[in-house]
Amino acid sequence: MSVTAEIRDRLQAAFDPQQIEVIDESDKHIGHAGYQEGGESHFHVVLSTTAFSDMSRLARHRAVHAAIGADLIGRIHALSMDLHDGS
């Protein structure tokens, strides 16, 4: 399974989001630190879920990192996020 699919599956299971996008942006980082041949090193996540309604921005980021898991976070170089309350 690709890293993109693993991230999507874990976030889907944790948050039951109204919107989810996991975008592999690795091709934008060719020649930069952390780039891996074949991609799947730099990601951007767009996630909208009602689970974020009572969370601060920092709490949302921490929740996403926890849902993805340390094992998977350790396999990627960069993760940017747009996290929204889905209500």
Side-chain angles (χ1 to χ4, degrees), residues 16-21 46-49 84:
D16 190 27
Q18 286 76 34
Q19 177 189 11
I20 184 170
E21 293 179 60
V46 178
L47 189 65
S48 180
T49 177
H84 308 279

Side-chain angles (χ1 to χ4, degrees), residues 1-55:
M1 176 182 293
S2 71
V3 174
T4 303
E6 285 185 71
I7 293 170
R8 181 184 317 279
D9 288 353
R10 291 181 188 194
L11 294 175
Q12 182 68 46
F15 299 110
D16 190 27
Q18 286 76 34
Q19 177 189 11
I20 184 170
E21 293 179 60
V22 180
I23 305 155
D24 183 351
E25 295 185 334
S26 301
D27 59 335
K28 295 179 181 179
H29 301 275
I30 294 172
H32 298 148
Y35 174 77
Q36 302 171 137
E37 190 64 37
E40 297 211 311
S41 60
H42 296 72
F43 293 91
H44 181 72
V45 169
V46 178
L47 189 65
S48 180
T49 177
T50 56
F52 292 154
S53 63
D54 292 329
M55 290 186 190

